[in-house]
Amino acid sequence: MAKEINKIEVMEDIYEENGRLARELNTRLSAQGIFAVNVLGSPGTGKTSALLQITKMLLPAVSYVIEGDIESNIDTFTLQKAGVDAFQINTYGGCHLDAPMMIKALEKFALPKPGYLFIENVGNLVCPAEFEIGEHLKLLICSTTEGSDKPYKYPLIFEKAAAVVLNKIDLMPHLDFDKKFFIDGLRGVNKSAPLFEVSSKTGEGFDALITWFKAKKG
Amino acid sequence: MAKEINKIEVMEDIYEENGRLARELNTRLSAQGIFAVNVLGSPGTGKTSALLQITKMLLPAVSYVIEGDIESNIDTFTLQKAGVDAFQINTYGGCHLDAPMMIKALEKFALPKPGYLFIENVGNLVCPAEFEIGEHLKLLICSTTEGSDKPYKYPLIFEKAAAVVLNKIDLMPHLDFDKKFFIDGLRGVNKSAPLFEVSSKTGEGFDALITWFKAKKG
């Protein structure tokens, strides 16, 4: 289809402009003492449940959360009920967050203190991997229930992750999850990202992730 | 960002052209006696495992499967090993299948007999909802492990589904899945799509889905 060429050209311009805005935002956040984490993962992988554990365990450090969803504010409400400073962005059909959305959101949402900013992207293993949103690093949350073949099928998002979390390890006894196959797939595209095995339900495994976050933020 | 306007214009052209090609393909498939099903769902929701059950239970009717993945041919290999006529489309970064991809694929893949054609789209609850690919209907596969809030967060794909499958019911005892909340969300956007509760692992619940497929194909 001839239109495809126009689409590719327009998308290249958009990636370039987005990248420029993301770098500007990142510089601004750094100057404010905000360490921004782009939290990625499939729908239902447990991103919000993990953030409930992470923000609690980082205390007394300040954490803010921005929730990116196509529609609804279910997760923001869950976090706020637990005492987390959480804000909502709705993309109304958009399959990922981008830098302009983040800049607009941060004009409205106040981050008065230095600390962590977790940005939960739209649940999607494809498009969010392609857009920088001002983050210092990308955290990819996977879960045992999604199966062990994900690094082979969605390599870009695994490649770009600074760390990978394998959530829902409490369900492992009931599944046929092949951990060796998962790790081999991850290492095929990303040699260095640490892998943290956790259960957001029981809290198991989060200590190591928290230690890693603190070292990264410095 | 000013570029956003160009993107929207180009996307509208692409949707229109895609829709036209999809309708042409659908007419051609109908004439061949092929009933095409666009199989949608999150990464790891169990689309391929469900198709293993469905194609087996539809026998002696002929079923073809086209697997849409960004990369890898793991699922095609699994299906072929089980004796299913399966073909692979790789999108190499693309977040969904579209009608031009399907047309190109069907120039290569022979569907010599009338029957069912299941097209497993890229695992993604967002973008595949927006592109017709020549199908007669959309089948959305969800799973208990993804949580019960998905219809609220990804309403378009639930709205467009002709039927919804809730997979992995064998894991229900180990989860906090709120079925009433899930069904309320589904009915909020889609009053008529039947809901089939199944386990691709045990085979439970597929009888009703198979009966429904046969009636739809006619």
Side-chain angles (χ1 to χ4, degrees):
Chain A
M1 142 169 109
K3 296 286 158 51
E4 201 60 22
I5 295 161
N6 297 345
K7 184 184 172 191
I8 290 167
E9 282 171 2
V10 173
M11 287 310 293
E12 278 175 3
D13 285 352
I14 287 171
Y15 288 139
E16 200 180 299
E17 175 72 352
N18 184 77
R20 193 184 59 75
L21 291 170
R23 286 187 294 276
E24 276 178 24
L25 178 58
N26 182 265
T27 304
R28 221 165 70 207
L29 290 170
S30 297
Q32 282 176 255
I34 297 282
F35 187 78
V37 180
N38 187 354
V39 182
L40 305 165
S42 294
T45 199
K47 294 181 288 300
T48 308
S49 317
L51 287 177
L52 279 170
Q53 293 284 353
I54 291 167
T55 53
K56 189 176 70 187
M57 290 177 73
L58 281 171
L59 286 172
V62 171
S63 290
Y64 305 101
V65 177
I66 292 180
E67 284 288 325
D69 284 292
I70 293 177
E71 293 194 25
S72 95
N73 59 358
I74 295 174
D75 294 340
T76 294
F77 187 67
T78 302
L79 288 158
Q80 286 174 344
K81 252 194 352 193
V84 180
D85 260 335
F87 313 95
Q88 184 74 46
I89 298 181
N90 285 124
T91 65
Y92 297 111
C95 50
H96 60 86
L97 298 177
D98 62 22
M101 282 183 214
M102 284 298 301
I103 289 167
K104 214 170 140 190
L106 289 171
E107 282 166 10
K108 280 196 302 186
F109 308 147
L111 311 178
K113 295 180 191 162
Y116 296 86
L117 169 62
F118 296 97
I119 309 145
E120 186 181 324
N121 219 310
V122 176
N124 182 343
L125 286 187
V126 194
C127 320
E130 297 173 5
F131 289 83
E132 308 288 317
I133 57 171
E135 73 268 29
H136 292 85
L137 60 84
K138 289 179 171 67
L139 179 73
L140 174 60
I141 303 193
C142 302
S143 57
T144 56
T145 54
E146 287 167 56
S148 39
D149 56 6
K150 296 300 154 290
Y152 302 89
K153 291 183 171 173
Y154 305 89
L156 184 67
I157 207 160
F158 282 86
E159 186 190 322
K160 291 205 170 177
V164 176
V165 170
L166 180 62
N167 195 10
K168 308 192 190 183
I169 55 167
D170 53 295
L171 292 173
M172 200 81 98
H174 313 292
L175 306 170
D176 312 312
F177 187 83
D178 183 342
K179 200 158 89 180
K180 185 184 178 308
F181 186 63
F182 178 81
I183 293 175
D184 286 350
L186 167 61
R187 292 303 164 224
V189 293
N190 189 327
K191 297 258 176 283
S192 61
L195 174 66
F196 299 100
E197 300 177 32
V198 310
S199 165
S200 294
K201 198 168 188 176
T202 67
E204 193 186 341
F206 278 93
D207 285 337
L209 177 60
I210 296 300
T211 303
W212 181 82
F213 265 132
K214 288 180 178 166
K216 279 283 169 188
K217 183 175 183 293
Chain B
M1 139 169 111
K3 296 284 159 51
E4 201 60 24
I5 295 161
N6 298 345
K7 183 185 172 190
I8 290 167
E9 282 170 3
V10 173
M11 287 310 293
E12 277 172 5
D13 286 350
I14 286 171
Y15 288 139
E16 202 181 296
E17 175 72 352
N18 184 75
R20 193 183 60 74
L21 292 171
R23 286 188 294 278
E24 278 178 22
L25 177 59
N26 183 265
T27 304
R28 221 165 69 207
L29 290 170
S30 297
Q32 283 177 252
I34 296 283
F35 187 78
V37 180
N38 186 354
V39 182
L40 305 165
S42 295
T45 197
K47 294 183 288 302
T48 308
S49 317
L51 286 178
L52 279 171
Q53 293 284 352
I54 291 167
T55 52
K56 189 176 69 185
M57 291 178 72
L58 281 171
L59 287 172
V62 171
S63 291
Y64 305 101
V65 178
I66 292 178
E67 285 288 326
D69 285 292
I70 294 177
E71 294 194 24
S72 94
N73 58 359
I74 295 173
D75 293 341
T76 294
F77 187 66
T78 303
L79 288 158
Q80 287 174 343
K81 252 194 352 194
V84 180
D85 260 335
F87 312 95
Q88 183 74 46
I89 298 180
N90 285 124
T91 66
Y92 297 111
C95 49
H96 60 85
L97 298 178
D98 62 22
M101 280 182 214
M102 284 298 300
I103 289 167
K104 215 171 139 190
L106 289 172
E107 283 166 10
K108 279 197 301 183
F109 307 148
L111 312 178
K113 294 181 190 160
Y116 296 87
L117 170 62
F118 296 97
I119 308 144
E120 187 181 324
N121 219 311
V122 177
N124 181 342
L125 286 186
V126 195
C127 320
E130 297 174 4
F131 289 83
E132 308 288 318
I133 57 171
E135 73 269 29
H136 292 85
L137 59 83
K138 289 180 170 67
L139 179 72
L140 175 60
I141 304 192
C142 302
S143 57
T144 55
T145 52
E146 287 167 57
S148 39
D149 56 5
K150 295 301 154 289
Y152 303 89
K153 290 182 171 174
Y154 305 88
L156 183 67
I157 206 159
F158 282 87
E159 187 191 321
K160 292 207 169 177
V164 176
V165 170
L166 181 62
N167 196 10
K168 307 193 190 181
I169 55 167
D170 54 294
L171 291 173
M172 200 82 98
H174 313 292
L175 306 170
D176 313 311
F177 187 82
D178 183 342
K179 199 157 89 180
K180 186 183 178 308
F181 187 62
F182 178 81
I183 294 175
D184 287 351
L186 168 61
R187 293 301 164 226
V189 293
N190 188 328
K191 296 259 176 282
S192 62
L195 175 66
F196 299 100
E197 300 177 32
V198 309
S199 164
S200 294
K201 198 168 187 177
T202 67
E204 195 186 339
F206 278 94
D207 285 336
L209 177 61
I210 296 300
T211 304
W212 181 83
F213 265 132
K214 288 180 178 168
K216 279 284 169 188
K217 182 174 183 293

